[in-house]
Amino acid sequence: METRRRGFRDRADDSLLTLLGEIPELIRNLVIAEVDAAKKWLARTAKDGGWGALWVFAALFVLFWSVPVLGTFVIAGLSSWWPVWLSALVVFFAMLIVTAVLAWLGILRFRKIGERKNPVQSIAQDVKEVRDEL
């Protein structure tokens, strides 16, 4: 039996029955290789996702502490024309309005999710229809 580069055999002289007999082993090897590749992909993706989430969390942490600084800056700027207490109230109510608008936009987006057809439900429906036909 002659082996070539990367461990592949020359199958030109094998009979049809020999080749057919090796199909289960080849399929098993293919499935094992695909599962191993999926595991490696999942590990790399999880690692990249974890680091990405960490960097996004760090950015949100910095943003969280920069919002009060911006509010203080706006209050200080408005206090040139108005009393400080009025400037603070105006900034507070402006932030409440922005919060309400952003929350409303988020709720509208979540409603769209409920309206879409879930692909898992579609697959389950297809499997049910095939099962009913058999």
Side-chain angles (χ1 to χ4, degrees):
M1 186 179 335
E2 175 186 336
T3 58
R4 291 193 170 183
R5 200 171 113 225
R6 294 177 43 183
F8 293 120
R9 278 193 338 221
D10 183 15
R11 297 179 182 254
D13 296 331
D14 290 348
S15 70
L16 177 63
L17 292 177
T18 302
L19 294 174
L20 288 175
E22 292 180 359
I23 288 178
E25 180 185 353
L26 293 173
I27 291 174
R28 183 183 74 77
N29 292 342
L30 177 64
V31 169
I32 289 172
E34 289 296 329
V35 168
D36 289 342
K39 286 179 186 177
K40 288 178 185 176
W41 175 84
L42 185 62
R44 283 192 314 263
T45 303
K47 180 182 175 185
D48 291 340
W51 279 106
L54 178 71
W55 290 119
V56 168
F57 177 75
L60 289 174
F61 180 79
V62 171
L63 179 65
F64 175 77
W65 289 107
S66 65
V67 169
V69 173
L70 178 65
T72 305
F73 172 75
V74 172
I75 291 170
L78 288 176
S79 67
S80 321
W81 295 287
W82 298 334
V84 175
W85 64 269
L86 182 61
S87 301
L89 277 178
V90 167
V91 169
F92 175 74
F93 283 116
M95 292 178 117
L96 280 181
I97 291 170
V98 168
T99 301
V101 168
L102 293 175
W104 181 65
L105 290 173
I107 289 170
L108 290 177
R109 185 58 65 164
F110 281 124
R111 285 185 184 169
K112 283 187 177 181
I113 292 173
E115 295 169 359
R116 288 191 193 124
K117 187 173 184 181
N118 188 345
V120 174
Q121 292 171 343
S122 176
I123 292 171
Q125 179 67 26
D126 292 344
V127 168
K128 182 182 175 203
E129 288 177 11
V130 168
R131 205 178 282 160
D132 290 343
E133 289 295 323
L134 297 175

